[in-house]
Amino acid sequence: MPRVTVTRRLRFNAAHRVHNPALSDAENAKLFGKCNNPNWHGHNYTLDVSVEGDIDEKTGYVCDLSKLKTIVEKEIVDVVDHKNFNLDVPFMREVIQTSENIVTAFWKILAPKVKPGKLARLVLWETENNYVEYTGR
Amino acid sequence: MPRVTVTRRLRFNAAHRVHNPALSDAENAKLFGKCNNPNWHGHNYTLDVSVEGDIDEKTGYVCDLSKLKTIVEKEIVDVVDHKNFNLDVPFMREVIQTSENIVTAFWKILAPKVKPGKLARLVLWETENNYVEYTGR
Amino acid sequence: MPRVTVTRRLRFNAAHRVHNPALSDAENAKLFGKCNNPNWHGHNYTLDVSVEGDIDEKTGYVCDLSKLKTIVEKEIVDVVDHKNFNLDVPFMREVIQTSENIVTAFWKILAPKVKPGKLARLVLWETENNYVEYTGR
Amino acid sequence: MPRVTVTRRLRFNAAHRVHNPALSDAENAKLFGKCNNPNWHGHNYTLDVSVEGDIDEKTGYVCDLSKLKTIVEKEIVDVVDHKNFNLDVPFMREVIQTSENIVTAFWKILAPKVKPGKLARLVLWETENNYVEYTGR
Amino acid sequence: MPRVTVTRRLRFNAAHRVHNPALSDAENAKLFGKCNNPNWHGHNYTLDVSVEGDIDEKTGYVCDLSKLKTIVEKEIVDVVDHKNFNLDVPFMREVIQTSENIVTAFWKILAPKVKPGKLARLVLWETENNYVEYTGR
Amino acid sequence: MPRVTVTRRLRFNAAHRVHNPALSDAENAKLFGKCNNPNWHGHNYTLDVSVEGDIDEKTGYVCDLSKLKTIVEKEIVDVVDHKNFNLDVPFMREVIQTSENIVTAFWKILAPKVKPGKLARLVLWETENNYVEYTGR
């Protein structure tokens, strides 16, 4: 059977502050600039969740994208949408709240939940001009 | 001379919380739902600034859009980008931090600064699925 | 109070055939070309619903866009999404299934339901290269 | 009959130089900055052509958008696509090659050709961050 | 010579119904939900055709994208645009009409036709929120 | 440490003419069609610069995207924006001015400058319907 990658795009809005608590305020301000604003800022995030697998003969699907959407909404969107990544999201408490750390945290949560097929790629857009991608390596 | 409307699009990222301090927490939660999250959330805002005027024969412009951009960056973007509308933006302190109140506050600031031509319309996108527009009426 | 126009964008997918039953098949084929395919074709439609009104002092809203979304989903999206405009949509049975007739039919349904504020404009995108707009005149 | 506005979007790529031959090179450089580069630069332009009219009972159309597309391709796109606005486009020779002057020149050409319905609005995007609009006033 | 991948995007509109004729109506309704509507629904599909190859020294091209466009229009777009995938498209008759089966059918048709260079990837967007990709494996 | 790919999108406008000076005018016209217009044409180019690397524990970044932006602006955008690829850009003088040759020239310039992390992919959009990508192979 041919192996196809299918993708579902989801969106959420959140606040964050890029801040390393192990460093001084001056070091944080120098490293992170306006992204370090103590009163937070925020984004409309876009997340592309890609699953790779064989096409199921019974359904013609790699996986049912409406079921994939339900999984991602429950595991990710309901936890982060209209939230503050630093204050409200348990799995982001121990790391700096960058897109790189967000996307790898999402991977750890989603990889065991996605089925059939296997999680192949996550792309997280923070603005329309920057995005990060992770393939589990 | 023909009257043309010219538009410059700018972007900024900010955090906010939709909250009416005159109401109880319960009333706020009921009225504003997840937009009332006390720890804030945020957006990538897009602002379209439209100026109407005659075409200047010397330049072929209604107004120089790079100068318009400089005005909007100084008056608006530098004040709100990577900021918290509730905590960091002086002109938003006395009103609820909705897009409607943001766009009319922007109008008050920009209308007297824009020249040549007159401010004709502001469109503020909060997400890719909702936006507000104001023409000064 | 300033009058602001607020807009909520919604999407739906539907099939249709542009066909005038009062004309012969040959006339229909000549008038409507490939849009007259008897086996249907379809689109991802985008609908922008705009409501104009004063800003409410208690909420900072012209109208609550999540409530507006609920109204449009109930009155329009649930009736047309993943449907055939010619066969499945009662209010489109007596007219030709063009975007012009769709948008004016949507207006008749939504205008009395929208509140607070008044329905100000509907924009219906059929493809990324064509759209129709109606303001109730 | 309800009056509806229908729009067809078209695209073309062209080079230009914003330059006023009545002024010195130094004045041009000061007025127009990098847009005055003597070796030209260019854009992917997007043009939205809007026609307003009653819905025709026989067709359900204000006007047949495929016919409107043919008119705009013949009158505008074939003349400017992959061309230099300063050197190749006869109707732009006597004016400065700004978007404002381009859109009003397009209007003069298209207004008498569009039928049924009347030309209601032209929107010309020069980049994704700036556009001009003209309604014939 | 460096190996570059070049992509041409094309669009078409079509109707379909996701349906497995080997299953009962009840099973189909349960498996496919609203995508199983017997009266069809439809989409504006976007197809990205990617070809990989060496840069030709004479032309500076991997392949002439206007020729690639002509090939894809003849082999794919002319066959599926404004059509019904279930009723009108011969190569989709024996499989369930999902994006996964559409994209792999497109691959079988395009892979032997594309030259110079080799077909490297097809991406098919069904809506702006979901897409499938196939690389021939 | 997980390896993540981060991308910064930048934009520039430029003129060009696809032309092989080793061939006759007739051969050029036949090979390149309207892209060979002697008076140039132009585009709004979009460039996605992707860098792959480990996440730095101190910053949570693969690389600071604002620094990456500064590098690409200095090395690429300042050299090509509002310029003519054939006449104004030194590194494009010896090759045909196609997107394939532009993207590989950009790679040679950027690959040694990018750090930390390594340049992983460049994607150059010439129009919204065609783009080229290069990974250094």
Side-chain angles (χ1 to χ4, degrees):
Chain A
M1 285 303 290
R3 284 185 79 75
V4 174
T5 301
V6 300
T7 299
R8 188 64 170 77
R9 176 168 288 184
L10 295 103
R11 297 154 209 276
F12 58 89
N13 311 315
H16 77 148
R17 177 197 189 190
V18 185
H19 184 77
N20 183 344
L23 304 177
S24 71
D25 283 359
E27 283 173 299
N28 270 293
K30 194 180 164 206
L31 263 182
F32 300 120
K34 60 188 179 178
C35 300
N36 186 243
N37 176 25
N39 287 332
W40 327 100
H41 66 283
H43 299 288
N44 303 333
Y45 289 90
T46 299
L47 176 67
D48 282 6
V49 179
S50 297
V51 173
E52 182 191 319
D54 296 335
I55 302 177
D56 183 288
E57 264 189 76
K58 188 180 171 190
T59 61
Y61 288 153
V62 165
C63 70
D64 183 333
L65 286 181
S66 65
K67 285 186 187 156
L68 179 62
K69 183 187 172 216
T70 303
I71 292 168
V72 181
E73 283 178 337
K74 184 182 165 219
E75 302 293 335
I76 301 289
V77 176
D78 290 354
V79 182
V80 301
D81 187 35
H82 283 74
K83 296 289 170 58
N84 182 309
F85 267 115
N86 304 53
L87 302 178
D88 295 326
V89 180
F91 60 77
M92 291 303 297
R93 289 234 174 88
E94 303 302 311
V95 290
I96 305 175
Q97 289 79 11
T98 59
S99 293
E100 287 91 328
N101 282 330
I102 294 171
V103 83
T104 53
F106 284 0
W107 183 277
K108 274 179 218 153
I109 293 166
L110 288 175
K113 302 280 181 182
V114 165
K115 61 175 183 174
K118 63 186 260 294
L119 190 60
R121 186 180 62 227
L122 292 178
V123 180
L124 180 68
W125 291 77
E126 188 185 70
T127 73
E128 64 159 32
N129 288 325
N130 68 72
Y131 60 91
V132 300
E133 57 195 290
Y134 186 53
T135 57
R137 293 178 305 148
Chain B
M1 286 303 292
R3 283 185 79 76
V4 173
T5 301
V6 301
T7 299
R8 186 65 169 77
R9 176 168 287 183
L10 295 103
R11 298 155 208 277
F12 57 89
N13 311 315
H16 77 148
R17 177 197 188 190
V18 185
H19 184 77
N20 183 344
L23 304 177
S24 72
D25 283 359
E27 283 174 298
N28 270 293
K30 194 180 164 207
L31 264 183
F32 299 121
K34 60 187 179 178
C35 301
N36 186 243
N37 177 25
N39 286 333
W40 328 99
H41 65 283
H43 298 290
N44 304 331
Y45 289 92
T46 300
L47 176 67
D48 282 6
V49 180
S50 297
V51 174
E52 183 191 320
D54 295 336
I55 302 177
D56 183 290
E57 264 188 77
K58 187 180 174 191
T59 61
Y61 289 152
V62 165
C63 71
D64 183 333
L65 286 181
S66 66
K67 284 185 187 157
L68 179 63
K69 183 187 172 216
T70 302
I71 293 168
V72 182
E73 284 178 338
K74 183 182 165 219
E75 302 293 335
I76 302 288
V77 176
D78 291 353
V79 182
V80 301
D81 186 36
H82 282 75
K83 296 288 169 59
N84 183 309
F85 268 115
N86 305 52
L87 301 179
D88 295 326
V89 180
F91 59 79
M92 290 304 297
R93 288 232 175 91
E94 303 302 310
V95 290
I96 306 175
Q97 290 77 13
T98 59
S99 293
E100 288 91 330
N101 282 329
I102 294 171
V103 82
T104 53
F106 285 0
W107 183 278
K108 275 179 218 154
I109 293 165
L110 287 176
K113 302 281 180 182
V114 164
K115 61 175 183 174
K118 65 185 258 295
L119 190 61
R121 187 180 61 226
L122 293 178
V123 181
L124 179 68
W125 291 77
E126 189 186 70
T127 74
E128 63 158 32
N129 288 326
N130 68 73
Y131 60 90
V132 301
E133 56 194 289
Y134 185 55
T135 58
R137 293 178 306 145
Chain C
M1 286 301 292
R3 284 186 78 75
V4 174
T5 301
V6 301
T7 298
R8 187 62 169 77
R9 177 167 287 184
L10 295 104
R11 298 153 209 276
F12 58 90
N13 312 315
H16 78 147
R17 178 197 187 190
V18 184
H19 184 77
N20 182 344
L23 304 176
S24 72
D25 284 359
E27 283 173 299
N28 270 292
K30 194 179 163 206
L31 264 182
F32 300 121
K34 60 187 180 179
C35 300
N36 186 243
N37 176 25
N39 287 332
W40 327 99
H41 65 284
H43 298 289
N44 303 332
Y45 289 91
T46 300
L47 176 67
D48 282 7
V49 180
S50 296
V51 173
E52 182 191 320
D54 295 336
I55 302 178
D56 183 288
E57 264 189 75
K58 187 181 172 190
T59 60
Y61 288 152
V62 165
C63 72
D64 183 333
L65 286 181
S66 66
K67 285 185 186 157
L68 179 62
K69 183 187 171 217
T70 302
I71 292 168
V72 182
E73 283 178 337
K74 183 183 165 219
E75 301 293 335
I76 302 289
V77 176
D78 290 353
V79 182
V80 301
D81 186 35
H82 283 73
K83 295 290 170 57
N84 182 309
F85 268 115
N86 305 53
L87 301 179
D88 295 327
V89 179
F91 60 78
M92 290 303 296
R93 288 234 175 89
E94 302 301 311
V95 292
I96 306 175
Q97 289 77 13
T98 59
S99 292
E100 287 91 328
N101 283 329
I102 294 171
V103 82
T104 52
F106 285 1
W107 183 278
K108 275 179 217 153
I109 293 166
L110 288 175
K113 302 282 180 182
V114 164
K115 61 175 184 176
K118 65 184 259 294
L119 189 61
R121 185 179 63 227
L122 293 178
V123 180
L124 179 68
W125 292 77
E126 188 185 71
T127 73
E128 65 158 31
N129 289 325
N130 67 73
Y131 60 91
V132 301
E133 57 194 290
Y134 185 54
T135 58
R137 293 179 305 147
Chain D
M1 287 302 291
R3 284 185 78 75
V4 173
T5 301
V6 300
T7 299
R8 186 64 169 76
R9 177 168 287 183
L10 296 103
R11 297 155 208 276
F12 58 89
N13 311 314
H16 78 147
R17 177 198 188 189
V18 184
H19 184 77
N20 183 345
L23 304 177
S24 71
D25 283 359
E27 284 173 298
N28 270 293
K30 193 179 165 208
L31 264 182
F32 300 121
K34 60 187 179 177
C35 301
N36 186 243
N37 176 25
N39 288 331
W40 327 99
H41 65 283
H43 299 289
N44 303 333
Y45 289 91
T46 299
L47 176 66
D48 282 6
V49 180
S50 296
V51 173
E52 182 191 318
D54 295 336
I55 302 177
D56 184 288
E57 263 189 75
K58 187 180 172 190
T59 60
Y61 288 152
V62 165
C63 71
D64 183 333
L65 286 181
S66 65
K67 285 185 187 157
L68 179 63
K69 182 187 172 216
T70 302
I71 293 168
V72 182
E73 283 178 337
K74 183 181 165 220
E75 302 294 335
I76 301 288
V77 176
D78 290 353
V79 182
V80 301
D81 186 36
H82 283 74
K83 295 290 169 58
N84 182 309
F85 267 115
N86 305 52
L87 302 179
D88 294 326
V89 180
F91 60 79
M92 290 304 296
R93 289 235 174 88
E94 303 301 310
V95 291
I96 305 175
Q97 289 78 12
T98 58
S99 292
E100 286 91 328
N101 283 329
I102 294 171
V103 82
T104 53
F106 285 0
W107 183 278
K108 275 179 218 154
I109 293 166
L110 287 175
K113 302 280 179 182
V114 164
K115 62 174 183 176
K118 65 185 259 294
L119 190 60
R121 186 179 63 226
L122 293 178
V123 180
L124 179 68
W125 292 77
E126 189 185 72
T127 73
E128 64 158 32
N129 288 326
N130 68 73
Y131 60 90
V132 300
E133 57 195 289
Y134 186 53
T135 58
R137 293 178 306 148
Chain E
M1 286 301 293
R3 283 186 79 75
V4 173
T5 300
V6 300
T7 298
R8 187 65 170 74
R9 176 168 288 184
L10 295 104
R11 298 155 209 275
F12 58 90
N13 311 316
H16 78 147
R17 178 197 188 190
V18 185
H19 185 76
N20 183 344
L23 305 177
S24 72
D25 284 359
E27 284 173 297
N28 270 293
K30 194 180 163 206
L31 264 182
F32 301 122
K34 59 187 179 179
C35 301
N36 186 242
N37 176 26
N39 287 332
W40 328 99
H41 66 284
H43 300 288
N44 303 332
Y45 289 92
T46 300
L47 176 66
D48 282 7
V49 180
S50 296
V51 173
E52 181 192 321
D54 295 336
I55 301 177
D56 183 289
E57 264 189 74
K58 187 180 173 190
T59 60
Y61 287 153
V62 165
C63 71
D64 183 333
L65 285 182
S66 66
K67 285 185 186 157
L68 178 63
K69 182 187 172 218
T70 303
I71 292 168
V72 181
E73 283 177 337
K74 183 181 165 221
E75 303 293 335
I76 301 290
V77 175
D78 289 353
V79 182
V80 302
D81 186 35
H82 283 73
K83 295 288 169 59
N84 183 309
F85 267 115
N86 304 53
L87 301 179
D88 295 326
V89 180
F91 60 78
M92 289 305 295
R93 289 234 174 89
E94 304 300 312
V95 291
I96 305 174
Q97 289 78 13
T98 58
S99 292
E100 287 91 329
N101 282 329
I102 294 171
V103 82
T104 52
F106 284 1
W107 183 278
K108 275 179 217 153
I109 293 166
L110 288 175
K113 302 281 180 183
V114 164
K115 60 174 184 176
K118 65 185 260 293
L119 189 61
R121 185 180 62 228
L122 293 178
V123 180
L124 179 68
W125 292 75
E126 188 185 71
T127 74
E128 63 159 31
N129 288 326
N130 68 72
Y131 60 90
V132 301
E133 57 194 291
Y134 185 54
T135 58
R137 293 179 304 146
Chain F
M1 286 302 291
R3 284 185 79 75
V4 173
T5 301
V6 300
T7 298
R8 187 63 170 77
R9 177 168 286 184
L10 295 103
R11 297 155 209 276
F12 59 89
N13 310 315
H16 78 147
R17 178 198 187 189
V18 184
H19 185 76
N20 182 344
L23 304 177
S24 71
D25 283 359
E27 283 174 299
N28 270 293
K30 194 179 163 207
L31 263 182
F32 300 121
K34 60 188 179 178
C35 300
N36 186 242
N37 177 26
N39 287 332
W40 327 99
H41 65 284
H43 299 289
N44 304 331
Y45 289 91
T46 300
L47 176 67
D48 282 6
V49 179
S50 296
V51 173
E52 183 192 319
D54 295 336
I55 302 177
D56 183 289
E57 263 188 76
K58 187 180 173 191
T59 60
Y61 288 153
V62 165
C63 70
D64 183 333
L65 285 182
S66 66
K67 285 185 187 156
L68 179 63
K69 183 186 172 217
T70 303
I71 293 168
V72 181
E73 283 178 337
K74 183 182 165 220
E75 302 293 335
I76 301 289
V77 176
D78 290 353
V79 182
V80 301
D81 186 35
H82 283 74
K83 295 289 169 59
N84 183 309
F85 267 115
N86 304 53
L87 301 178
D88 295 327
V89 180
F91 60 78
M92 289 304 296
R93 289 234 174 89
E94 304 301 312
V95 291
I96 305 175
Q97 288 78 11
T98 58
S99 292
E100 288 92 327
N101 282 330
I102 294 170
V103 82
T104 52
F106 285 0
W107 183 278
K108 274 180 217 152
I109 293 164
L110 288 176
K113 303 281 180 181
V114 165
K115 61 176 184 175
K118 65 185 259 293
L119 189 61
R121 186 179 64 226
L122 293 178
V123 180
L124 180 68
W125 292 76
E126 188 185 71
T127 74
E128 64 158 31
N129 288 326
N130 68 73
Y131 60 90
V132 300
E133 56 195 289
Y134 186 53
T135 57
R137 292 179 306 147

